[in-house]
């Protein structure tokens, strides 16, 4: 009757009595817990590669990093032949860090401008709707259609971003993707969290911090050795001088081992145990 996303939040359910319909009412008591969303992992937005302004900015960032870490800036040679003060791996990491910062700032600015543009278009449409109520002029109607088309293009761009983040593999032709893909992205988020945990004593906990602490304690107990394999008494007994399992080499054999002319497993262990 309900989706698996909210199944863990169900406290109780019951079927009521039907008296005015052929369907019985279903009563569900839900208890939601506030999950703290983390920062998550940053992923590069491939749609930025369609922006000429962003591409020019990234090219400038790469050039800036190369000029900052090259050994001799006065030498006019190709980039492939340049020598740098840092390793190539570190240089590559610095370039990625610079590009990441530019991508985040550019995306934030682009989103801010997009939201501002959308509000302006919605406001213009509302004004034109008022004019149409007063006087249904064809010119006003055409102007409204033009603004509505501009708004549709802007929202389709936002939907493409949602598709990318939700990793959707297909899109139903003709369907408005805004609600569908927003719900899909929400579903993916709910699958990453544990809203409810049942302990060994059958106690249910829903607080996120308590759940994380129980997980930590469970795995800490799971991977903690209760019976150490090697006690101190075992080490003392095994490494004592009169241990029959360890052969102490004489002076001639020890000299041969040092010179590299003779080496055995017992001698190697002896020198490791008694340096």
């Amino acid at each position: 009757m309900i989706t698996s996303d909210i199944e863990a939040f169900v406290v109780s359910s019951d079927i009521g009595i039907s008296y005015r319909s052929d369907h019985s009412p279903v009563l569900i008591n839900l208890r939601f817990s506030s999950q703290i969303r983390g920062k998550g992992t940053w992923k590069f937005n491939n749609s930025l590669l369609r922006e000429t302004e962003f591409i020019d900015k990234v090219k400038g960032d790469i050039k800036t990093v190369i000029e900052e870490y090259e050994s001799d800036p006065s030498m006019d040679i190709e980039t492939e032949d340049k020598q740098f003060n840092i390793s190539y791996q570190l240089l590559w990491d610095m370039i990625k860090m610079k590009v990441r910062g530019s991508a985040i700032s550019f995306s934030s600015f682009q989103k801010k401008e997009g939201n501002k543009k959308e509000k302006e278009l919605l406001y213009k449409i509302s004004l034109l709707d008022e004019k149409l109520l007063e006087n249904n002029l064809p010119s006003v109607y055409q102007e409204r259609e033009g603004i509505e088309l501009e708004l549709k293009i802007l929202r389709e761009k936002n939907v493409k971003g949602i598709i990318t983040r939700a990793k959707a593999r297909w899109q139903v032709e003709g369907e408005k993707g805004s609600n569908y893909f927003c719900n899909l992205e929400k579903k993916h988020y709910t699958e990453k969290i544990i809203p409810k945990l049942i302990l060994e004593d059958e106690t249910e906990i829903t607080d996120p911090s308590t759940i994380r602490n129980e997980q930590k304690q469970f795995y800490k107990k799971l991977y903690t050795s209760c019976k150490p394999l090697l006690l101190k008494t075992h080490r003392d007994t095994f490494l004592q001088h009169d241990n029959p399992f360890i052969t102490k080499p004489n002076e001639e054999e020890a000299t041969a081992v040092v010179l590299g002319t003779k080496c055995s497993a017992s001698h190697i262990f002896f020198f490791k145990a008694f340096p």
Side-chain angles (χ1 to χ4, degrees):
M1 295 292 294
I2 61 175
T3 62
S4 58
D5 302 338
I6 62 174
E7 184 178 356
F9 302 106
V10 177
V11 178
S12 61
S13 61
D14 191 14
I15 300 177
I17 300 175
S18 173
Y19 65 96
R20 299 186 64 179
S21 173
D22 57 347
H23 295 282
S24 299
V26 178
L27 307 177
I28 301 177
N29 184 15
L30 301 175
R31 180 178 59 194
F32 295 97
S33 59
S34 57
Q35 296 288 339
I36 302 175
R37 184 186 291 268
K39 293 183 179 180
T41 305
W42 178 81
K43 296 180 181 178
F44 179 73
N45 185 6
N46 295 336
S47 62
L48 294 177
L49 298 177
R50 302 188 184 97
E51 303 290 340
T52 307
E53 182 181 354
F54 176 75
I55 294 176
D56 295 337
K57 183 175 178 59
V58 170
K59 289 181 179 179
D61 292 339
I62 295 175
K63 184 178 180 181
T64 301
V65 174
I66 291 177
E67 292 176 351
E68 182 178 356
Y69 293 101
E70 61 181 337
S71 301
D72 191 358
S74 61
M75 296 181 62
D76 188 13
I77 56 178
E78 296 294 335
T79 305
E80 297 178 355
D81 300 328
K82 286 183 180 293
Q83 299 296 324
F84 300 97
N85 299 325
I86 57 178
S87 63
Y88 288 108
Q89 181 62 43
L90 183 56
L91 178 66
W92 173 233
D93 291 337
M94 297 302 296
I95 292 175
K96 289 189 292 183
M97 184 185 69
K98 190 74 173 178
V99 172
R100 176 180 179 271
S102 298
I104 293 175
S105 60
F106 187 85
S107 299
S108 300
F109 176 77
Q110 197 177 45
K111 182 179 180 181
K112 183 179 179 181
E113 291 296 318
N115 293 338
K116 182 180 178 181
K117 182 68 174 178
E118 184 177 0
K119 290 181 180 179
E120 291 178 355
L121 294 175
L122 290 173
Y123 179 71
K124 290 180 180 179
I125 290 176
S126 63
L127 293 179
L128 293 175
D129 287 339
E130 293 178 0
K131 290 183 179 180
L132 288 174
L133 291 175
E134 296 175 358
N135 192 356
N136 192 5
L137 296 176
S139 58
V140 178
Y141 185 76
Q142 291 178 359
E143 184 180 358
R144 188 189 185 283
E145 283 188 339
I147 297 176
E148 188 177 7
L149 178 61
E150 188 176 355
L151 179 62
K152 181 180 178 181
I153 294 174
L154 180 63
R155 286 183 170 176
E156 284 180 353
K157 184 178 180 180
N158 295 335
V159 170
K160 288 181 180 179
I162 296 175
I163 295 173
T164 303
R165 292 191 297 272
K167 298 180 180 179
R169 297 181 180 273
W170 55 273
Q171 181 180 8
V172 179
E173 185 176 358
E175 181 182 2
K176 294 183 179 179
S178 56
N179 291 334
Y180 172 77
F181 288 110
C182 283
N183 292 333
L184 182 61
E185 190 174 29
K186 181 180 178 181
K187 179 182 177 182
H188 285 179
Y189 169 71
T190 56
E191 290 177 351
K192 299 176 184 177
I193 63 175
I194 301 178
K196 181 173 65 176
L197 189 65
I198 301 177
L199 304 180
E200 295 180 353
D201 57 354
E202 301 299 329
T203 304
E204 294 185 2
I205 56 176
T206 57
D207 182 60
S209 59
T210 308
I211 291 176
R212 287 194 296 269
N213 184 57
E214 288 294 334
Q215 288 177 303
K216 179 181 178 181
Q217 296 300 326
F218 173 79
Y219 285 105
K220 182 179 180 181
K221 181 180 179 181
L222 180 64
Y223 291 105
T224 300
S225 177
C226 299
K227 297 181 180 180
L229 299 178
L230 186 62
L231 300 177
K232 186 177 184 301
T233 55
H234 297 160
R235 292 195 297 268
D236 296 340
T237 303
F238 184 76
L239 297 177
Q240 62 186 357
H241 291 279
D242 56 349
N243 192 328
F245 298 100
I246 299 179
T247 304
K248 183 177 180 180
N250 53 36
E251 183 177 355
E252 182 180 353
E253 291 176 336
T255 304
V257 171
V258 173
L259 297 177
T261 57
K262 182 179 181 181
C263 185
S264 63
S266 61
H267 295 158
I268 293 175
F269 179 80
F270 176 82
F271 282 106
K272 286 184 177 180
F274 305 98

